[in-house]
Amino acid sequence: MWIARSKAELEQQLATSPRPVVLVPTMGALHPGHAALIDLARKHAGPDGAVLVSIFVNPIQFDKPADLEKYPRTEDADLIICRNHGADGVFIPDAEDMYFDNRSITVTETHLSKHLCGATRPGHFDGVCTVVLKLFNLTHCDAAVFGEKDFQQLAIIRRMVRDLDLRVQIIPHPTLREADGLAMSSRNRRLTPEQRADASRIREALTLAAQKPSPSEILVTAREIIEASKLTKIDYLAIVDEENLQPTEQITRPSILACAVFYGEVRLIDHIRIPKA
Ligand code: PAF
């Protein structure tokens, strides 16, 4: 498995790379959820194609400098996971190499990012789109794998691919969960043991609420279960259209119940599909 630490090194490695190239973009702190993304990339690349993992904690998608600073960095363990799951190469650039000091062009999303996570994290999805587009260009990838856990991110990246005519196939992977139902996330390791034990209520709340017959009952049920803990603070709880992510009061199209919940400073997200009435 090769490692490229700059754009120039990556270019050199890719000069002799077989196709297809399947990219798994990550910010490191890899956990079994990422390992599953690499496995899926391996499957799509086939025995002759190349699986490439990028590890880059992208500064321009963090709205709070403290979050960027606290983001876990576990490169040695990450590389072991990449190797064990059949990655052919890992791209680990630094921010100075990725971004020019006087850069002035950014991808801007103007619709899907206005609600949910985008509403409280200004500029976050523009930062995500910008780095993902750069990674697509730098790696010349044919396909890229993204987790469904970040379903707003996935919807926005699909929209970027559509709107900018990118020739990259987007491959989704279902959310991986811990035994108690908590969605796997690099952030889980920042929870205290008490918060971690409590956090399974998020999944429980969404699952029970999604069975209720009306949107108002769905929202009330989920809120009651999440707020029954004194450790939680709801950032948002909403029903949105699965494709355009706009809030909806009638469930006439495939819809999602989504939430972001704070445990102290740690913000966890999750969602569930709501069956059509
Ligand atoms: O989901 C992530 O880890 C990041 O948002 C991504 C897609 C790697 C872009 O930095």
Side-chain angles (χ1 to χ4, degrees), residues 31-147:
H31 51 67
H34 293 108
L37 303 187
I38 303 172
D39 290 342
L40 186 59
R42 184 72 273 160
K43 209 167 131 202
H44 274 264
D48 300 330
V51 172
L52 179 51
V53 179
S54 63
I55 298 179
F56 178 58
V57 183
N58 175 32
I60 68 163
Q61 71 184 73
F62 285 82
D63 42 306
K64 294 195 189 103
D67 281 353
L68 172 61
E69 221 161 89
K70 278 189 217 141
Y71 201 85
R73 285 156 171 92
T74 57
E75 187 183 303
D76 291 347
D78 292 349
L79 290 176
I80 293 171
I81 293 179
C82 291
R83 195 170 284 117
N84 288 347
H85 287 267
D88 296 292
V90 184
F91 177 42
I92 317 182
D94 57 28
E96 290 69 36
D97 190 37
M98 280 295 271
Y99 293 116
F100 290 96
D101 278 348
N102 62 349
R103 71 186 176 87
S104 54
I105 307 280
T106 308
V107 179
T108 304
E109 201 292 321
T110 56
H111 193 57
L112 307 189
S113 56
K114 295 302 158 206
H115 303 285
L116 309 175
C117 293
T120 50
R121 303 188 68 189
H124 169 70
F125 287 112
D126 291 352
V128 171
C129 285
T130 302
V131 80
V132 169
L133 179 59
K134 281 167 75 72
L135 289 168
F136 286 178
N137 286 335
L138 287 165
T139 61
H140 311 290
C141 61
D142 301 285
V145 181
F146 291 88

Side-chain angles (χ1 to χ4, degrees), residues 41-259:
R42 184 72 273 160
K43 209 167 131 202
H44 274 264
D48 300 330
V51 172
L52 179 51
V53 179
S54 63
I55 298 179
F56 178 58
V57 183
N58 175 32
I60 68 163
Q61 71 184 73
F62 285 82
D63 42 306
K64 294 195 189 103
D67 281 353
L68 172 61
E69 221 161 89
K70 278 189 217 141
Y71 201 85
R73 285 156 171 92
T74 57
E75 187 183 303
D76 291 347
D78 292 349
L79 290 176
I80 293 171
I81 293 179
C82 291
R83 195 170 284 117
N84 288 347
H85 287 267
D88 296 292
V90 184
F91 177 42
I92 317 182
D94 57 28
E96 290 69 36
D97 190 37
M98 280 295 271
Y99 293 116
F100 290 96
D101 278 348
N102 62 349
R103 71 186 176 87
S104 54
I105 307 280
T106 308
V107 179
T108 304
E109 201 292 321
T110 56
H111 193 57
L112 307 189
S113 56
K114 295 302 158 206
H115 303 285
L116 309 175
C117 293
T120 50
R121 303 188 68 189
H124 169 70
F125 287 112
D126 291 352
V128 171
C129 285
T130 302
V131 80
V132 169
L133 179 59
K134 281 167 75 72
L135 289 168
F136 286 178
N137 286 335
L138 287 165
T139 61
H140 311 290
C141 61
D142 301 285
V145 181
F146 291 88
E148 280 182 354
K149 175 181 159 276
D150 298 309
F151 89 96
Q152 187 172 20
Q153 169 172 284
L154 178 60
I156 289 173
I157 287 168
R158 282 184 157 136
R159 181 62 69 92
M160 174 172 78
V161 166
R162 188 198 77 176
D163 286 359
L164 300 185
D165 300 305
L166 306 180
R167 299 264 181 267
V168 179
Q169 182 195 355
I170 301 301
I171 304 166
H173 190 290
T175 305
L176 253 93
R177 298 186 176 277
E178 304 289 351
D180 65 357
L182 179 65
M184 285 186 188
S185 162
S186 311
R187 293 168 182 227
N188 295 354
R189 60 184 86 174
R190 289 174 51 203
L191 297 170
T192 64
E194 191 192 7
Q195 290 168 336
R196 172 64 194 82
D198 193 76
S200 60
R201 76 172 54 246
I202 298 175
R203 174 68 175 168
E204 186 195 330
L206 298 185
T207 311
L208 290 175
Q211 293 161 19
K212 298 288 171 187
S214 70
S216 58
E217 283 170 279
I218 290 174
L219 291 171
V220 168
T221 305
R223 182 168 290 278
E224 271 174 9
I225 298 173
I226 295 170
E227 289 185 340
S229 163
K230 58 181 187 334
L231 301 175
T232 56
K233 188 166 152 277
I234 293 178
D235 182 22
Y236 66 75
L237 176 67
I239 300 173
V240 295
D241 182 283
E242 184 169 340
E243 198 202 318
N244 64 31
L245 307 189
Q246 301 311 295
T248 169
E249 276 162 24
Q250 300 293 327
I251 302 174
T252 51
R253 286 170 36 88
S255 300
I256 297 269
L257 171 62
C259 70

